[in-house]
Amino acid sequence: NCITASALCLVSLTRCKTSILARKFFWFCLSVAYWSFFYIFFLCAKTIPMADFYVRTCMIGVFFMPSTFLDFVLSFLKKREWKYKIFIMVIYAVSMAGMLIAYTPWYAYDASRHLVFPYWPKAGILFHFIILHFCIIFLYTFVKLYAHLRQSRGVERNQTIYILVGIILGVIGGSTNYFCWYRISIPPFLNIIISLTVLIVAYAIIKYCLMDIRIAISHAGAFIVSYIPLLLIPVVVTWRYQRWLERIFGMYFWLIPTFVGMALVFIGLFLYRRIQARTEQHLLQQEYRDSEA
C-alpha cells in the first residue's frame, strides 16, 4: 500500500502537472501513503507506548482519506458552486479535528493483545464519530458518482465506472481495519485491496490525461529503487535492535529511528532525481531510435 500510493503521488504530479484533477488525486494518495507508512511501524512495534503512538499517528491519514477523495470526486464532477466549496471546507475541518483527538483517551484506550496483534487499542467514545464521518462521506461520494454515471456518455462514463469500482473496493478493504478496534475477531486481511483502489482510480486519470505510461512506470520504479531501501533502514534497525535502543535512549527511543527516517528522505530525493534523469534519457533515446527505424 505504501509503495503503490507513494509511487502514484509522484506519477500524478509529474505527468499531469497542469491537471487540477491529478493534483486532487495526489492528496488522496498522500493520505493513503501516510497511513500505510506508519502502519508499518505499528506492526513492528514491540512495546505498548510505541505501538500506541504509531497506530494513532497512522490513523491521521485515515481522517483525511474521505475528505481528499470527495474533494477529488467533486473536482472530477466539475462541482464548482459555493455550496460544494463550503462543504469541502467543513469536512476538512472535521478531519483536522480528528488530528486533535487522535492522541487522547477519548479516541482510543487500553492497547492490548487481539488476534495476531500484540497491541491494538480499543475504540473510545469519539472514535464512533470518526467512523460516522468516514461512512457518510464515502456514501455521499458514491451517490454523486452513481448519479453522474446515469447521465454521462463516452470517456466520462468510463472514468466514472473506474472511480466507482475504486471507491467500492477501497471501502471494503479499508473497513476491515475497524473490526479490531471493537474487538470483533475479523483481521484486516483485505488491506491490500486499497492498493488496487488507487491503481484503478489512477488508471482513469493516467489513461485520459494522455500520459506516457512508460515514463509514468519509470518514475514509479525510480521511486521504489531510491526510497524504499532507505525507508526500510529505520524500520529494520528498530525491529532488530529495539532492546539495545531502549537501554540507551529510554522509552522514547523510537524518536531516533523516526528522525533518521526523515533524514534519509532527503538522501532518497537526491537518488530519485539521478535515477529518474538517467531513465528518462534512456527512454527518449529509445523513442528516437524507434522513430528513425
Side-chain angles (χ1 to χ4, degrees):
N1 288 331
C2 184
I3 292 170
T4 305
S6 300
L8 289 173
C9 279
L10 294 172
V11 171
S12 61
L13 281 185
T14 55
R15 303 318 305 167
C16 273
K17 296 178 182 178
T18 59
S19 170
I20 296 176
L21 192 62
R23 291 201 296 268
K24 299 286 187 182
F25 183 65
F26 163 81
W27 292 110
F28 171 66
C29 286
L30 186 63
S31 64
V32 175
Y34 178 95
W35 162 75
S36 50
F37 178 72
F38 283 101
Y39 207 127
I40 297 170
F41 285 92
F42 162 61
L43 294 176
C44 293
K46 294 185 178 180
T47 63
I48 290 181
M50 188 176 175
D52 189 66
F53 171 78
Y54 282 125
V55 74
R56 292 172 186 268
T57 303
C58 82
M59 288 301 289
I60 292 174
V62 178
F63 299 158
F64 284 93
M65 284 184 200
S67 309
T68 53
F69 194 77
L70 178 60
D71 195 8
F72 159 75
V73 168
L74 291 179
S75 179
F76 168 71
L77 298 177
K78 299 179 176 62
K79 302 293 186 181
R80 300 187 178 93
E81 296 92 336
W82 272 104
K83 63 178 181 180
Y84 292 110
K85 292 181 180 179
I86 293 172
F87 184 45
I88 286 294
M89 292 171 63
V90 170
I91 64 169
Y92 271 117
V94 173
S95 297
M96 287 187 283
M99 293 176 60
L100 300 177
I101 66 170
Y103 297 96
T104 68
W106 299 304
Y107 178 72
Y109 66 97
D110 190 22
S112 57
R113 176 175 291 277
H114 178 64
L115 298 178
V116 299
F117 303 100
Y119 317 105
W120 197 297
K122 296 178 181 177
I125 186 65
L126 295 181
F127 191 90
H128 316 318
F129 293 100
I130 298 300
I131 291 186
L132 187 63
H133 171 252
F134 180 91
C135 294
I136 290 174
I137 296 304
F138 275 116
L139 180 61
Y140 176 80
T141 306
F142 178 84
V143 170
K144 282 291 184 183
L145 284 169
Y146 184 72
H148 183 72
L149 176 66
R150 296 185 64 180
Q151 57 186 343
S152 60
R153 295 291 183 272
V155 170
E156 265 198 8
R157 180 178 177 83
N158 291 335
Q159 283 182 303
T160 307
I161 291 173
Y162 286 130
I163 298 172
L164 268 173
V165 171
I167 189 176
I168 292 171
L169 292 176
V171 170
I172 292 173
S175 61
T176 57
N177 284 277
Y178 288 126
F179 294 118
C180 290
W181 294 87
Y182 291 97
R183 292 303 186 264
I184 299 172
S185 297
I186 300 176
F189 61 96
L190 295 180
N191 263 354
I192 194 60
I193 294 182
I194 296 171
S195 284
L196 189 58
T197 298
V198 292
L199 283 170
I200 290 172
V201 178
Y203 177 74
I205 301 174
I206 291 170
K207 182 176 180 180
Y208 298 108
C209 278
L210 303 178
M211 290 183 180
D212 184 339
I213 192 62
R214 292 184 304 170
I215 296 180
I217 293 173
S218 74
H219 282 202
F223 175 83
I224 292 171
V225 171
S226 57
Y227 268 100
I228 300 306
L230 290 176
L231 293 178
L232 284 177
I233 290 174
V235 177
V236 173
V237 169
T238 305
W239 177 58
R240 293 293 301 274
Y241 302 105
Q242 180 181 335
R243 295 182 183 277
W244 182 75
L245 289 170
E246 276 185 298
R247 285 199 296 268
I248 296 177
F249 301 104
M251 64 179 294
Y252 295 104
F253 71 94
W254 48 266
L255 287 172
I256 304 302
T258 301
F259 286 122
V260 169
M262 293 170 64
L264 290 174
V265 166
F266 293 98
I267 299 175
L269 178 61
F270 172 77
L271 292 174
Y272 167 72
R273 287 178 174 175
R274 294 292 297 273
I275 296 172
Q276 178 189 13
R278 293 287 182 88
T279 306
E280 286 189 4
Q281 183 180 6
H282 173 73
L283 288 174
L284 289 172
Q285 289 174 350
Q286 184 178 356
E287 185 176 345
Y288 177 76
R289 287 195 296 267
D290 292 343
S291 63
E292 286 292 309

